[in-house]
Amino acid sequence: MEFLGLFFELVLFALGAYLYLFSRGFFKAKDPNLAEKSEAFRKDNATWMRILGLFLAAIMLVNIVLHISDLIVR
């Protein structure tokens, strides 16, 4: 059951990292119409997505480290 919690922490860490990388413009769409829409959305919302992505990734990284250290000690 503890591995299920670790799995969800990893998923939330990946979500935070993706959100941060998307806000920085790391991912590009191949479809020109979709790329234009996503770029407009990214430019309008980049500030809060960067902050939220960094915050979520940092908190989940701390949780993952603590969870793994707890599993090793047992």
Side-chain angles (χ1 to χ4, degrees), residues 8-20 56-57 60 64:
F8 283 119
E9 289 171 357
L10 287 169
V11 168
L12 288 173
F13 174 75
L15 181 67
Y18 177 80
L19 188 62
Y20 175 73
L56 184 59
M60 286 299 111
I64 290 167

Side-chain angles (χ1 to χ4, degrees), residues 3-74:
F3 290 106
L4 185 63
L6 183 60
F7 173 74
F8 283 119
E9 289 171 357
L10 287 169
V11 168
L12 288 173
F13 174 75
L15 181 67
Y18 177 80
L19 188 62
Y20 175 73
L21 290 174
F22 177 75
S23 71
R24 298 287 304 201
F26 187 75
F27 300 111
K28 304 290 182 190
K30 293 181 182 177
D31 181 24
N33 189 23
L34 184 61
E36 184 178 314
K37 288 180 183 178
S38 66
E39 186 65 23
F41 176 79
R42 187 188 69 78
K43 284 185 179 179
D44 290 341
N45 300 301
T47 303
W48 70 264
M49 285 193 303
R50 265 189 212 134
I51 294 169
L52 182 66
L54 282 174
F55 179 73
L56 184 59
I59 295 298
M60 286 299 111
L61 184 61
V62 169
N63 283 339
I64 290 167
V65 169
L66 291 174
H67 202 139
I68 290 174
S69 67
D70 185 43
L71 288 175
I72 291 173
V73 170
R74 287 187 183 186

